[in-house]
Amino acid sequence: MEFTLKTTFNTTAKQIYKAWLSTQGHTKMTGGEAFVSDKVGDPFMAWDGYIKGENLILEPYHKIVQSWRSDNFKENEEDSQIEVILSESDGVTELTLIHRNVPEDGEHYIQGWQEHYFEPMKAYFEF
C-alpha cells in the first residue's frame, strides 16, 4: 500500500528540515520523544520508540527519505519508506509525504500522520 499526503506550514523549508532531523526539534514539533540525526545511514527513533528507521537520502531543505516501521509491523514485514518533500514559496512550505510499502492493514497511518505529526507541527511552527 502507498499513500501521499500534503499540507502546508507557515514556516520555511529550512526550519522544517532542521527540526525533522534534530532530536530536540523532532521531539518538540511532535510531542513524542525522538532521537534523530542529520546524517545518511544513521538510525532514528520517534514517538517514544514506536517508530524506528534509518536516514536513506537527505537533500538539505528539500527532501528526506527514511526507512520507517512502527511497533505494529509484523516481524516478517519489510520496512516501509517515507519521502518528505519540502517546497517553499513566500515563507509558506508545502510538505508532501509519500509513504510507500505500507502493510495492507496500514490505512490507520494516514490518520496517524495527521494527528501525531501535521497537527502538532502546525502548532509548533505557528509560534
Side-chain angles (χ1 to χ4, degrees):
M1 178 177 131
E2 176 179 320
F3 58 85
T4 300
L5 303 173
K6 290 184 183 224
T7 190
T8 58
F9 298 98
N10 292 321
T11 192
T12 64
K14 181 177 182 176
Q15 287 178 303
I16 295 171
Y17 182 91
K18 288 178 84 66
W20 196 287
L21 295 175
S22 141
T23 293
Q24 185 178 14
H26 202 103
T27 298
K28 285 183 176 180
M29 79 175 186
T30 64
E33 186 179 15
F35 293 98
V36 189
S37 159
D38 62 357
K39 293 180 179 38
V40 171
D42 279 2
F44 75 90
M45 179 277 296
W47 275 104
D48 305 314
Y50 173 72
I51 300 166
K52 295 177 185 71
E54 180 181 309
N55 294 332
L56 302 175
I57 299 169
L58 300 175
E59 295 177 13
Y61 320 135
H62 176 64
K63 185 182 345 185
I64 299 166
V65 180
Q66 298 174 314
S67 66
W68 192 100
R69 70 184 298 118
S70 77
D71 285 348
N72 292 345
F73 279 44
K74 295 179 182 77
E75 202 173 300
N76 65 340
E77 291 175 325
E78 291 180 30
D79 290 355
S80 65
Q81 180 178 299
I82 63 165
E83 182 173 352
V84 177
I85 301 165
L86 304 170
S87 177
E88 181 185 339
S89 178
D90 297 325
V92 174
T93 302
E94 179 180 69
L95 184 154
T96 303
L97 180 125
I98 305 164
H99 199 158
R100 296 182 175 93
N101 199 31
V102 179
E104 287 306 314
D105 64 350
E107 210 160 285
H108 63 279
Y109 291 118
I110 295 171
Q111 185 176 350
W113 281 110
Q114 298 287 353
E115 289 179 9
H116 301 293
Y117 270 80
F118 299 161
E119 289 173 19
M121 285 172 69
K122 281 185 187 294
Y124 175 76
F125 287 116
E126 290 296 322
F127 60 81

